[in-house]
Amino acid sequence: MKTYEKAIEKVILLSAIMATISVGLITFFIFRSGLPVLLEYGIIDFIFGTTWSPTNGDYGILPLIAGTLSITIGSLIIGVPTGIACAVFLAEILQKKWAKAFKFSIELLAGIPSVVYGFFGLVVLIPAIREYILPIYQFFDPEVSQTGFSVLAGAVILAIMILPTIVSMSENSIAAVPVEFKEASLALGANKMETIVRVLIPAAKSGILSSIILGMGRAIGETMAVLLITGNMAKIPGTILDPVATLTGTIAMEMGYASPTHQQVLFAVGIVLFVVIMILNIIAQLSVRKIGGNA
Amino acid sequence: MDPRKLRNIKKAKNIAFYGIIGLLAAATLTVLIIIIGYILLNGFSHIDVEFLTQEPRKMGKEGGIFSVIIGTLYVTGVGILIATPIGIAAAIYFTEYAKEGKGVILIRFFTEILAGIPSIIFGLFGFAFFVIFLGMGWSVISGGLTLAMMVLPTLVRATEESLKTVPMSYREGSLSLGATKWQMITGVILPCCKPGILTGLILGIGRAIGESAAIMLTVGGSLRVPTSLFDSTRTMAVHLYTLASEGLSQEKTYATAALLILIVLVINGAANLISSKLGGSNGN
Amino acid sequence: METKFEIEKLNLYYGSFQALQDIDMNIYSNRITALIGPSGCGKSTFLRTLNRMNDLIRGVTIEGTVKFDGEDIYGNFYDIIKLRKKVGMVFQKPNPFPKTIYENIVYGPKIHGEKNKTVLDNIVERTLKEVAMWEEVKDRLQKPALGLSGGQQQRLCIARCLAVEPEVILMDEPTSALDPVATSKIEGLLEELAEKYTIVIVTHNMQQAGRVSDYTSFFLNGKVIETDKTEVIFSNPANKKTEEYITGRFG
């Protein structure tokens, strides 16, 4: 009996460290597959090279970084205010009963597969951009790209996709602000709006911040949605209507037909992506932990 | 300044504040409704018996998506089947066995980190490790194993949440009767957690079904019905991507997207129902 | 008179806080021993050292010896499972499992390997009769135990404990969550149970200790101030603090 229990405990411990083993394996294999070519080509040349043309041996990923960065920043510009507004709405304004329904809607938004978002962007957003935004833009800049596949399209779709992350984490941290803070503010004669803006949001600052960081990580890592709508041109964008290629999209698209060396290069792109996301995740995790400790 | 003017400014500010918040929240809701509505409306009429039961012809341009549905079930099933026992066991470790310490903090930390890794990285890894290194090729098993890693954190979290709600007194009652720890866990604690575990499972299935980037790199894209774990196949999400990016058939693309949305709706509804209906049953 | 538990120089710490100090005590077979004292005095903690339930709490260290039938239960190779089978426990709040009445009672026998349906049925009937509940619930054995009243739940927990045929029953304020009627039912039960079992009961209620127990031990600040026959403690305590507590001057 004793040995049986001991054996079970071992199996359970093994299961618990499975996630850790997975992270280890992932790190190892991504680096193993991509590092040699990265070192051979030179990290500086790789990251700051402005020409991405793998078939010709040009592996500069600056255009891809610019692509990822531009749509990520765009998505944050749209998604962060909206997300925080929804979180405040949920935590402070909406009645309990309705808040539950609203929360469910946000969860639903999180459940929609990314390829469906991409498809929606393709059939609704891109024609809309072509029809309504492009003419206005053309007025100022007649040379602008006319396809609709663009930074803008990617940013809008990504903004929707990162909303659930921002909303749910921000809402949690706003709801976790001690009632005393709120009462103290209201007792001083502040109205609800002033309390929200001056007390609740500042008090929930670190939670909101880590939700933004996690959302950013999600935006950077998102693949299939952006693949369908950003146009996949490895060029540093000049306007928000320019097509771009992202780190993730490039990997997904080119992996299918890549030669062995090209594959290794794509793994090297994976390394860059992986490192960036890991840093963001670790920062978010650490700050979440800190909030947990303070509460 | 004139106090009346000040009050007016304050009032205007208030209106603007609530107006903006309400507007953004309403916009979010509208977007959700538009996405779901648009795709369902356009796709629903193309979903029929033929679409569900026939194999795709001409790369999916004609026919149905039968083999794709089977492929989806197969890959998702394998992934969930592998991840579930590990996820539950890991959650049991965290709530029942782990003692506070650096080691436990570390493995918890990595479980969270695993949840944040994007699917394309899982895809790259699955390709390098399962497909190439272990020689499993583009196959159901490569995809299933990759998926298992991806949904593991979801399962751990859901199970752990519900394990935490089991009152300490059940544990004491069980142990005081001379139960071993494992007898206590299987006989008393886990039965209390069925709804929570089920919710986690359903959410995991949802994530698995919607996954595309990782699947594309590990399962491949064969349109045949897979007959073994080592066959390549295609899942609905990957199929949708292929149809959309190659513009093969508007009809079939909408139908596939609608089916995916429908599954997501059902899954989220079910998970919500289970957790709200049975979540409070441990109150004692 | 047989000694069931012999406790010597027992010290218990929660981290750096000492909850029990140099406890020496004997607990006799087939007697009811009551542990009394103000809250936080260590009586529940002490009770839980007798079936090693304190092992569940993190950061507990225990020194000294607790001998059960002459064997140190904190010895290296002592089988805790066997100990807990022989030393049952009833808790402050009734804690039936969210299962049927029947399943609650057979849970213990089942984990100890009993599979025979007839034997299990007999155990259910015997134990429910022992706690005077058989007539009340015999027609709804397959109903959830959580549907019973508080008093019934507590008697069910006693029955569940009896089902594994323990030698000792530890009771941690078993009536504190119950109304007076249910309390008197359980007190009446104790006398009958004492014929077969050794009972140790922690109670807040001095009258209860006086009514039901043969021996009483008075705890204060983690120490045993005095242990004696109940009538001695209540009529002629040796220690002044005991007297003050008994007469209600503090606590």
Side-chain angles (χ1 to χ4, degrees):
Chain A
M1 207 62 184
K2 266 256 158 78
T3 48
Y4 178 68
E5 287 277 322
K6 280 261 151 60
I8 281 175
E9 196 170 338
K10 289 273 168 350
V11 171
I12 285 184
L13 175 64
L14 191 70
S15 303
I17 57 176
M18 212 48 115
T20 310
I21 295 174
S22 300
V23 175
L25 276 177
I26 291 169
T27 315
F28 178 76
F29 272 90
I30 300 285
F31 275 85
R32 192 184 102 122
S33 312
L35 202 58
V37 76
L38 183 60
L39 294 177
E40 196 188 311
Y41 192 77
I43 294 175
I44 302 290
D45 288 340
F46 187 69
I47 290 178
F48 295 105
T50 50
T51 314
W52 172 259
S53 177
T55 36
N56 299 329
D58 289 326
Y59 307 136
I61 63 165
L62 196 63
L64 308 182
I65 294 176
T68 292
L69 219 58
S70 59
I71 61 167
T72 300
I73 291 170
S75 73
L76 290 177
I77 290 172
I78 304 167
V80 168
T82 314
I84 295 175
C86 285
V88 168
F89 190 63
L90 253 177
E92 294 299 319
I93 298 172
L94 212 54
Q95 284 175 315
K96 268 248 155 62
K97 181 170 69 171
W98 294 108
K100 224 180 149 190
F102 193 72
K103 235 180 182 162
F104 178 68
S105 315
I106 300 281
E107 275 167 30
L108 220 52
L109 219 46
I112 296 177
S114 65
V115 59
V116 173
Y117 278 111
F119 175 59
F120 178 79
L122 185 70
V123 292
V124 176
L125 189 61
I126 288 183
I129 289 176
R130 255 196 314 250
E131 197 144 325
Y132 302 110
I133 311 251
L134 192 63
I136 304 171
Y137 220 98
Q138 267 173 331
F139 185 75
F140 301 103
D141 178 8
E143 304 282 281
V144 76
S145 154
Q146 297 178 8
T147 58
F149 292 94
S150 57
V151 174
L152 181 65
V156 170
I157 289 294
L158 274 187
I160 302 169
M161 295 182 73
I162 63 173
L163 260 182
T165 309
I166 296 179
V167 176
S168 71
M169 267 184 81
S170 299
E171 195 248 336
N172 282 345
S173 56
I174 291 173
V177 175
V179 191
E180 291 81 14
F181 287 20
K182 211 163 109 183
E183 283 169 351
S185 165
L186 291 172
L188 287 171
N191 63 22
K192 199 166 177 181
M193 172 189 96
E194 288 161 337
T195 306
I196 291 170
V197 177
R198 301 254 167 90
V199 178
L200 291 181
I201 291 179
K205 194 175 56 190
S206 55
I208 295 174
L209 212 65
S210 36
S211 84
I212 296 171
I213 295 170
L214 275 186
M216 192 170 156
R218 191 137 300 170
I220 293 174
E222 179 44 49
T223 310
M224 298 311 260
V226 296
L227 187 54
L228 283 169
I229 52 179
T230 56
N232 303 308
M233 294 265 282
K235 239 178 46 192
I236 295 173
T239 75
I240 59 167
L241 288 185
D242 278 354
V244 285
T246 62
L247 295 165
T248 54
T250 305
I251 297 173
M253 203 172 55
E254 296 181 6
M255 205 63 190
Y257 58 77
S259 66
T261 329
H262 187 178
Q263 271 185 4
Q264 287 177 351
V265 176
L266 292 175
F267 271 97
V269 177
I271 293 178
V272 174
L273 188 65
F274 184 68
V275 169
V276 171
I277 299 245
M278 280 308 230
I279 291 171
L280 289 177
N281 271 324
I282 289 171
I283 293 172
Q285 283 307 321
L286 291 180
S287 61
V288 168
R289 219 156 284 268
K290 229 166 68 195
I291 305 162
N294 288 345
Chain B
M1 212 190 285
D2 177 14
R4 197 189 296 153
K5 211 169 177 185
L6 218 103
R7 211 175 307 133
N8 279 341
I9 290 174
K10 213 170 180 178
K11 214 172 177 182
K13 261 189 182 170
N14 238 331
I15 292 170
F17 176 74
Y18 287 115
I20 289 170
I21 285 188
L23 212 68
L24 288 175
T28 305
L29 215 56
T30 315
V31 164
L32 173 75
I33 293 167
I34 288 178
I35 293 177
I36 293 177
Y38 184 85
I39 287 175
L40 281 185
L41 280 179
N42 282 292
F44 210 65
S45 55
H46 303 301
I47 301 178
D48 50 25
V49 178
E50 188 197 354
F51 181 70
L52 296 175
T53 56
Q54 286 197 356
E55 294 206 14
R57 293 188 302 272
K58 295 191 180 168
M59 299 308 291
K61 196 172 173 183
E62 288 169 20
I65 55 164
F66 180 71
S67 60
V68 177
I69 293 176
I70 298 298
T72 308
L73 289 178
Y74 215 177
V75 176
T76 305
V78 169
I80 294 291
L81 228 54
I82 296 167
T84 303
I86 298 174
I88 293 174
I92 289 174
Y93 177 79
F94 288 130
T95 54
E96 309 296 328
Y97 287 91
K99 300 190 177 67
E100 301 295 326
K102 289 218 171 83
V104 173
I105 291 174
L106 210 67
I107 57 178
R108 253 180 203 292
F109 183 75
F110 278 114
T111 310
E112 291 299 317
I113 290 291
L114 188 65
I117 294 178
S119 66
I120 187 74
I121 297 288
F122 277 103
L124 278 179
F125 164 75
F127 177 74
F129 186 61
F130 298 122
V131 176
I132 305 291
F133 186 74
L134 295 182
M136 293 172 177
W138 276 332
S139 63
V140 171
I141 185 75
S142 299
L145 286 165
T146 309
L147 265 187
M149 291 166 81
M150 298 178 71
V151 299
L152 187 61
T154 312
L155 283 167
V156 175
R157 207 174 297 158
T159 310
E160 205 186 335
E161 284 307 313
S162 81
L163 281 170
K164 277 189 200 152
T165 65
V166 178
M168 195 62 193
S169 66
Y170 291 177
R171 296 183 174 86
E172 290 180 337
S174 177
L175 291 178
S176 77
L177 290 166
T180 63
K181 200 163 190 169
W182 187 240
Q183 284 172 330
M184 166 190 90
I185 290 166
T186 51
V188 178
I189 297 188
L190 285 182
C192 293
C193 297
K194 271 188 219 146
I197 295 174
L198 202 62
T199 309
L201 209 64
I202 292 173
L203 291 176
I205 292 173
R207 172 145 193 221
I209 287 180
E211 185 45 50
S212 42
I215 301 286
M216 217 163 69
L217 296 185
T218 54
V219 181
S222 162
L223 274 170
R224 277 172 312 155
V225 176
T227 51
S228 96
L229 283 176
F230 295 93
D231 278 356
S232 167
T233 186
R234 188 187 287 192
T235 66
M236 282 165 60
V238 175
H239 189 57
L240 173 58
Y241 168 72
T242 314
L243 291 178
S245 64
E246 293 174 7
L248 282 171
S249 154
Q250 190 93 337
E251 255 177 50
K252 305 293 174 201
T253 319
Y254 274 117
T256 310
L259 199 59
L260 264 177
I261 287 258
L262 219 57
I263 292 172
V264 166
L265 283 175
V266 168
I267 279 179
N268 274 279
N272 207 42
L273 204 72
I274 291 170
S275 63
S276 68
K277 207 170 180 184
L278 300 166
S281 69
N282 289 329
N284 184 26
Chain C
M1 201 164 38
E2 227 181 292
T3 310
K4 204 72 195 166
F5 278 105
E6 260 175 274
I7 297 105
E8 274 171 40
K9 289 232 168 312
L10 178 69
N11 285 285
L12 183 142
Y13 305 84
Y14 293 124
S16 59
F17 171 74
Q18 184 163 14
L20 294 176
Q21 261 182 58
D22 289 327
I23 309 276
D24 290 302
M25 200 196 290
N26 285 344
I27 289 165
Y28 303 108
S29 291
N30 296 79
R31 295 287 182 280
I32 300 179
T33 305
L35 311 178
I36 61 169
S39 30
C41 66
K43 55 194 191 302
S44 283
T45 302
F46 171 72
L47 189 76
R48 285 160 169 263
T49 58
L50 300 180
N51 66 344
R52 295 195 57 172
M53 277 314 257
N54 285 322
D55 293 16
L56 289 182
I57 301 163
R58 281 174 188 156
V60 165
T61 27
I62 291 164
E63 295 161 358
T65 55
V66 177
K67 282 186 183 159
F68 174 64
D69 285 340
E71 246 186 295
D72 185 4
I73 63 171
Y74 287 94
N76 277 339
F77 299 102
Y78 198 86
D79 185 346
I80 307 176
I81 303 302
K82 235 187 225 153
L83 170 75
R84 290 187 183 144
K85 188 169 178 280
K86 288 184 184 165
V87 184
M89 189 166 209
V90 176
F91 298 84
Q92 186 167 2
K93 254 177 79 185
N95 61 346
F97 303 131
K99 299 171 185 280
T100 63
I101 295 172
Y102 185 91
E103 281 301 324
N104 262 281
I105 294 177
V106 300
Y107 176 79
K110 269 188 174 168
I111 57 173
H112 295 300
E114 185 57 67
K115 290 192 188 93
N116 187 315
K117 178 91 170 69
T118 334
V119 176
L120 292 174
D121 286 348
N122 289 337
I123 290 175
V124 171
E125 184 170 345
R126 170 180 67 82
T127 55
L128 281 175
K129 277 180 176 161
E130 275 185 288
V131 297
M133 242 174 106
W134 175 248
E135 291 304 323
E136 289 167 56
V137 299
K138 67 176 177 195
D139 298 323
R140 45 179 176 139
L141 294 176
Q142 299 307 332
K143 293 269 154 65
L146 291 173
L148 296 170
S149 73
Q152 285 175 320
Q153 285 189 8
Q154 193 62 303
R155 279 187 286 152
L156 175 66
C157 290
I158 297 174
R160 183 177 71 184
C161 166
L162 298 179
V164 293
E165 302 182 27
E167 296 168 15
V168 181
I169 305 172
L170 308 176
M171 297 187 160
D172 191 355
E173 302 190 31
T175 59
S176 66
L178 305 180
D179 63 73
V181 178
T183 300
S184 76
K185 270 193 184 160
I186 287 186
E187 283 183 11
L189 208 57
L190 289 179
E191 254 171 81
E192 282 170 42
L193 293 175
E195 287 171 18
K196 278 174 72 183
Y197 309 97
T198 304
I199 295 174
V200 186
I201 179 169
V202 166
T203 178
H204 250 113
N205 179 333
M206 230 112 43
Q207 283 79 28
Q208 186 171 59
R211 278 197 301 268
V212 303
S213 69
D214 303 303
Y215 288 85
T216 296
S217 188
F218 173 55
F219 278 70
L220 189 63
N221 298 331
K223 286 184 217 153
V224 172
I225 304 298
E226 192 174 356
T227 307
D228 212 323
K229 288 209 157 112
T230 299
E231 60 263 28
V232 178
I233 292 275
F234 278 87
S235 58
N236 194 12
N239 191 298
K240 192 139 185 301
K241 281 179 189 156
T242 314
E243 193 188 339
E244 283 174 356
Y245 183 71
I246 300 287
T247 52
R249 237 168 282 168
F250 72 93

